Amino acid sequence: MRNITLRHFRVISAIHSEGKIINAARALGLTGPAVTLQLQQVEEEAGIQLFERAPQGMRPTDAGLAFIEAAHAIDERLRLLQEEIDAVKGIRKGHLIVGAVSTAKYFAPQIIAGFKKEFPDIDLKLVIGNRAETIAKLKDHVLDIALMGRPPPDLPVEARVFGDHPLIIAAAPDHPLAQARDITKARIAREHFIVREPGSGTRMSFERFLGDIPGRLEQPGTEMDSNETIKQAVMAGLGVAFISAHTIAFEVQAGRLSVLDVVGMPIRRQWFSVVRSDRVVTPAIGAFCAFLARKGAAFLPVSAKLYPEVR
């Protein structure tokens, strides 16, 4: 392995991320034959095949995945070295890639803006995705920090709470239950729900909430893959939604949605900042986590109208 260079690792990483030799060559500013040659050099040095050619592109073998993991670790360590040198020089610089699940997009940009006011020289990128996408990027070392409602159970992570995450049931203002009080779980279970896709944090909480109603989850409702679409469907009167209070704060204040007074609601969950515990915490990551602990909760948009007004 002594003849394998940083350039080799970058080629392996580019082939994996781009999917094809020609795409990797374009991303690296090289020719296709040059990339192919460097891949062959690594495979000869390692004595094992790193990629299989498939109709969809280059698919890494188990050995290839090990090389890709090593490439990510090397890039991460080099970046940390640069930040350590900057810290020695007294420079408050760094780079951060923050991932956020889709529900967090309603407050994540405000958190980023607040952080940038205190640390203007830290370069920061925000990546929004659903829960599965965010966990996958965290697993692949693409993200430095992830903002999510429930830490992944199958990754070594350090998770810190930075605020409450209330979940409610929303309906159109003219819904028959909009002015009702103390709606039972059995009663609300008879409503048609607009729900997120399987695997999302909100969907899992919905299933836990109604899981003790016999047969209720056999036909959970109409699935939609974004909170925005769900809100529009509820405002159109297509059903009710089990949804984060953060996502509907504006619509509730504007009178376009109502929060139903369901017994046991709102359900109090929490927001976490998640960092892989098997990676080195850079000064920039440490600064962002400390900022969230101090001020993160102040950026969470929660409507004061968690219950219907008494008339």
Side-chain angles (χ1 to χ4, degrees):
M1 297 291 183
R2 293 181 178 178
N3 294 323
I4 296 177
T5 66
L6 284 176
R7 177 173 293 181
H8 286 133
F9 278 112
R10 286 170 180 153
V11 164
I12 298 300
S13 182
I15 294 172
H16 177 240
S17 61
E18 299 297 331
K20 295 183 178 180
I21 294 287
I22 188 63
N23 294 341
R26 188 179 301 113
L28 294 169
L30 300 173
T31 65
V35 171
T36 299
L37 176 61
Q38 292 194 47
L39 173 59
Q40 291 172 345
Q41 290 172 346
V42 177
E43 290 180 329
E44 289 174 4
E45 181 71 18
I48 195 169
Q49 185 177 357
L50 302 185
F51 288 92
E52 296 175 346
R53 294 185 181 275
Q56 297 80 14
M58 301 290 282
R59 184 172 59 196
T61 63
D62 289 343
L65 290 174
F67 266 84
I68 292 162
E69 182 77 12
H72 289 155
I74 290 169
D75 280 343
E76 183 177 302
R77 190 62 186 88
L78 288 174
R79 190 179 65 173
L80 173 62
L81 176 61
Q82 182 61 60
E83 295 198 10
E84 288 175 338
I85 296 301
D86 287 342
V88 170
K89 294 177 180 178
I91 303 172
R92 299 175 77 197
K93 292 184 178 180
H95 304 272
L96 273 179
I97 301 178
V98 178
V101 295
S102 54
T103 300
K105 72 181 181 181
Y106 295 92
F107 59 81
Q110 288 77 13
I111 288 178
I112 300 303
F115 179 75
K116 288 289 288 182
K117 287 182 180 179
E118 294 191 16
F119 298 90
D121 293 327
I122 292 181
D123 294 328
L124 200 151
K125 179 181 179 181
L126 176 62
V127 180
I128 303 291
N130 62 30
R131 176 177 170 82
E133 292 167 342
T134 301
I135 291 176
K137 286 183 171 61
L138 194 64
K139 183 177 181 179
D140 291 341
H141 295 271
V142 175
L143 304 178
D144 296 310
I145 303 171
L147 309 181
M148 60 177 57
R150 188 172 64 89
D154 56 347
L155 276 181
V157 299
E158 180 177 349
R160 298 180 182 179
V161 175
F162 68 89
D164 286 337
H165 182 196
L167 300 171
I168 55 85
I169 295 179
D174 59 352
H175 190 280
L177 295 178
Q179 299 304 320
R181 288 286 184 175
D182 298 324
I183 304 166
T184 65
K185 184 187 294 189
R187 172 64 186 87
I188 198 63
R190 299 203 301 267
E191 293 296 310
H192 181 76
F193 276 83
I194 314 297
V195 297
R196 285 292 301 270
E197 73 281 3
S200 72
T202 306
R203 175 66 173 269
M204 288 187 285
S205 294
F206 165 78
E207 291 173 348
R208 284 195 294 269
F209 181 68
L210 292 182
D212 58 351
I213 304 293
R216 181 59 186 82
L217 298 181
E218 293 177 4
Q219 293 183 330
T222 302
E223 290 183 8
M224 296 185 179
D225 62 1
S226 78
N227 291 317
E228 290 301 316
T229 307
I230 288 176
K231 288 192 295 184
Q232 292 298 322
V234 173
M235 286 188 284
L238 296 181
V240 301
F242 185 101
I243 197 167
S244 166
H246 298 317
T247 68
I248 64 165
F250 174 78
E251 287 80 6
V252 171
Q253 294 294 342
R256 301 178 68 190
L257 284 174
S258 294
V259 177
L260 300 186
D261 182 26
V262 178
V263 175
M265 305 286 286
I267 296 174
R268 295 288 180 182
R269 296 287 184 254
Q270 293 173 312
W271 284 110
F272 294 87
S273 62
V274 178
V275 179
R276 288 188 62 131
S277 57
D278 58 354
R279 65 156 296 159
V280 177
V281 176
T282 67
I285 292 176
F288 191 83
C289 289
F291 176 82
L292 280 178
R294 287 186 291 110
K295 298 184 177 181
F299 294 95
L300 301 178
V302 179
S303 171
K305 297 182 178 181
L306 286 179
Y307 299 98
E309 298 177 0
V310 177
R311 292 187 178 181

